[in-house]
Amino acid sequence: MENKKKIPTWIKLIVLLFLVIGGYFGWTAYRTFLAPNVTDIQKYLYINTGDTYENVLQKIKDQKIVSDPVSFDRAAQYQNYKESVKAGRYALTPGMNNRRFIGNLRGGYQDAVKFRFENIRLKDNFAGKLGENFEADSLTFLNLLNNESLAKSYGFTADNFLAMFIPNTYELYWNTET
C-alpha cells in the first residue's frame, strides 16, 4: 500500500477561496472591458462642445446606449476617459465592448456627417439646413453668412456670399467650428 500524503482541509479551503476570488475578478474584468455592451437603440452618440464626463455618462444612461452603465463607468475610470472628453458625433456599433467604445471617444474618432444640398437660394434656408445637421444652430450660421468682413476675406460681399457654396455632398464633422 502506498503512503500518500493527505492535503489538509484548510489548504483546500484556501485554494478554493483563491479560485472563487480570482474567478470573480476575472469575470468583473471581462464584463468591464471585453463583454459586448453597446446596444442597438441609438445609431450615434452626440457629445456637445463643453460637455463633461458627467454629461456624457448621463446621455449614455438616458439614451440607453450601453446595457451596463456601471461597467462603462468603471472602464472609463480605468482608461482615464474622464479627463479627455472630446465633442463629436460617434457611430455606435451594436455589441461593441467598453474598451473599444471608450477608445473611440478618447481618440475623437467621430463619424463625419454627409451634408448634401442643392438649389438653395436664401441664406435663411441654407442656415436652417446647416443647423439641422451640425452642432451649431441656424442663427449662428445665419450670422456668419451675413458677416461682411468674413465674406470679404473670401472675395465676396454679404449679398453674394451664398454663391461661394457649390451644391454637392460634403463630409464634415458634426462639431466643426463655425
Side-chain angles (χ1 to χ4, degrees):
M1 196 160 167
E2 293 181 32
N3 190 7
K4 290 186 178 179
K5 282 190 172 181
K6 194 172 183 183
I7 299 173
T9 306
W10 66 272
I11 291 179
K12 290 179 185 176
L13 288 174
I14 288 175
V15 168
L16 180 63
L17 181 65
F18 277 120
L19 287 174
V20 169
I21 291 171
Y24 170 77
F25 283 112
W27 175 250
T28 301
Y30 170 77
R31 290 284 307 144
T32 301
F33 297 105
L34 302 174
N37 198 25
V38 174
T39 65
D40 62 354
I41 295 173
Q42 299 289 333
K43 287 182 74 173
Y44 297 100
L45 168 63
Y46 293 89
I47 300 176
N48 296 81
T49 302
D51 274 358
T52 64
Y53 172 73
E54 287 73 25
N55 300 129
V56 173
L57 185 60
Q58 193 60 51
K59 286 179 184 184
I60 286 172
K61 288 177 181 177
D62 292 346
Q63 298 173 24
K64 297 179 180 16
I65 288 173
V66 296
S67 55
D68 184 5
V70 173
S71 72
F72 174 86
D73 187 37
R74 190 178 311 122
Q77 288 177 26
Y78 284 117
Q79 291 182 259
N80 295 321
Y81 175 57
K82 291 184 174 192
E83 294 82 30
S84 55
V85 173
K86 292 181 175 71
R89 178 184 109 150
Y90 295 92
L92 301 171
T93 305
M96 184 186 299
N97 62 39
N98 288 330
R99 192 174 132 267
R100 183 168 172 217
F101 182 33
I102 293 167
N104 289 348
L105 297 176
R106 282 190 70 211
Y109 303 126
Q110 58 177 303
D111 197 40
V113 174
K114 290 184 185 197
F115 178 68
R116 178 180 172 83
F117 69 95
E118 50 189 45
N119 301 332
I120 295 180
R121 296 180 327 152
L122 301 174
K123 288 181 191 178
D124 292 351
N125 295 348
F126 189 57
K129 188 149 180 87
L130 288 165
E132 291 171 5
N133 288 280
F134 298 99
E135 180 180 23
D137 64 6
S138 58
L139 185 58
T140 301
F141 287 113
L142 188 59
N143 288 337
L144 286 171
L145 292 170
N146 287 324
N147 185 321
E148 189 69 46
S149 63
L150 179 63
K152 190 173 183 176
S153 71
Y154 289 101
F156 292 88
T157 65
D159 293 330
N160 67 6
F161 196 28
L162 189 59
M164 175 179 161
F165 302 97
I166 300 168
N168 204 343
T169 301
Y170 298 89
E171 286 193 17
L172 302 165
Y173 290 118
W174 173 77
N175 63 319
T176 300
E177 286 190 28
T178 52

